[in-house]
Amino acid sequence: MILIDGKKVAKEVKEEIAQETTEIIKKNGRAPHLAAILVGHDGGSESYVNFKMKDCQEVGFQSSLIRFEDDVTEKELFAAIDKLNNDDGVDGFIVQLPLPKHIDENKVLEAIKPEKDVDGFHPVNVGKMTAGLASFVSATPMGITILLKRYGIETSGKHCVILGRSNIVGRPMSILMSQREMNSTVTVLHSGSQNIKEICISADILIVAMGKPGFVTEDMVKDGAVIIDVGTTRIKSDKTKSGFKLVGDVDFDNVAEKCSYITPVPGGVGPMTRLALLLNTLQAAK
Ligand code: GUN
């Protein structure tokens, strides 16, 4: 079994981005610039955005954080989006999700100019990606395809089973894996699916994005399968300084020995997800 080291690959790709950033600064006269809008004080969102800003610093990007309180109005938020859409000094920006209930998330995502939508969530980018056209691809699916390629994992003709159909992970992942470049035969399983165990056993590549800790057990995995675990559920732990630990959707200890490759949680898909945002921003700056 080979452990897929997302941290190591992310470090390598980050170094490549930093080198390219130096070239872009020479050519454009300024560094690529990523902005983030953060609403409220959710601990998870705050730490994600802080990591994104830190990543920018490490590769030589400029970054800006625009913060609003939970009671921000849609009008105020749209004004901030409009400003970033029209700011030539900003190459790309994101609005960190989730947003408070009184804000319509879809309306917000659609307000972002597609050319600056480095999250790849705008329907124009989703449509282009689906049609196989140049577009911003959302972070987790992009990170996973990079991991598969860097580890030289054969995807062509393989049966790839994806557990979960979210707009952020499962659905775009299923589209990328079915396109000519990855060339897999794809099955998407979701909460309405039957015979989940039987179908999972037939997977050469199993990508799990459900948010259900330990859902995939040993009896659901074929010998030699490739397992990509996207699950990141924060659970309380008295063994860590923070009082929390991240757990995946795969029962790692029992499944790992059966696999040819497996991603750990943390340290597998997570570091790659952050990287994809940098790659999209680099593309936007170009
Ligand atoms: N919330 C959780 N993941 C993401 C992400 O990738 N982008 C944004 N904007 N919000 C998120």
Side-chain angles (χ1 to χ4, degrees), residues 37 45 48-49 52 93-98 109 112 119 121 138-140 168 273 277:
I37 295 179
S45 290
Y48 286 136
V49 170
K52 289 170 188 177
F93 67 99
I94 63 159
V95 179
Q96 185 67 22
L97 305 176
L109 296 181
I112 300 171
D119 257 333
F121 291 166
S138 59
T140 306
I168 295 182
T273 299
L277 186 62

Side-chain angles (χ1 to χ4, degrees), residues 57-76:
Q57 221 176 21
E58 284 173 10
V59 296
F61 287 6
Q62 191 186 339
S63 63
S64 321
L65 176 58
I66 297 132
R67 297 199 66 149
F68 290 100
E69 291 302 320
D70 270 318
D71 60 358
V72 65
T73 63
E74 276 195 347
K75 199 170 161 207
E76 287 169 315

Side-chain angles (χ1 to χ4, degrees), residues 44 47-48 51 213 229-237 240 242-250 264-268 270-271:
S47 67
Y48 286 136
F51 279 131
D229 189 352
V230 186
T232 45
T233 305
R234 259 158 64 106
I235 61 166
K236 286 210 166 110
S237 166
T240 63
S242 65
F244 289 98
K245 68 171 184 175
L246 284 184
V247 291
D249 288 348
V250 176
V265 176

Side-chain angles (χ1 to χ4, degrees), residues 169-189:
V169 185
R171 196 178 313 281
M173 194 74 240
S174 70
I175 293 162
L176 292 178
M177 293 305 288
S178 71
Q179 281 169 340
R180 211 168 277 278
E181 192 183 353
M182 305 306 276
N183 221 24
S184 293
T185 303
V186 177
T187 304
V188 180
L189 298 174

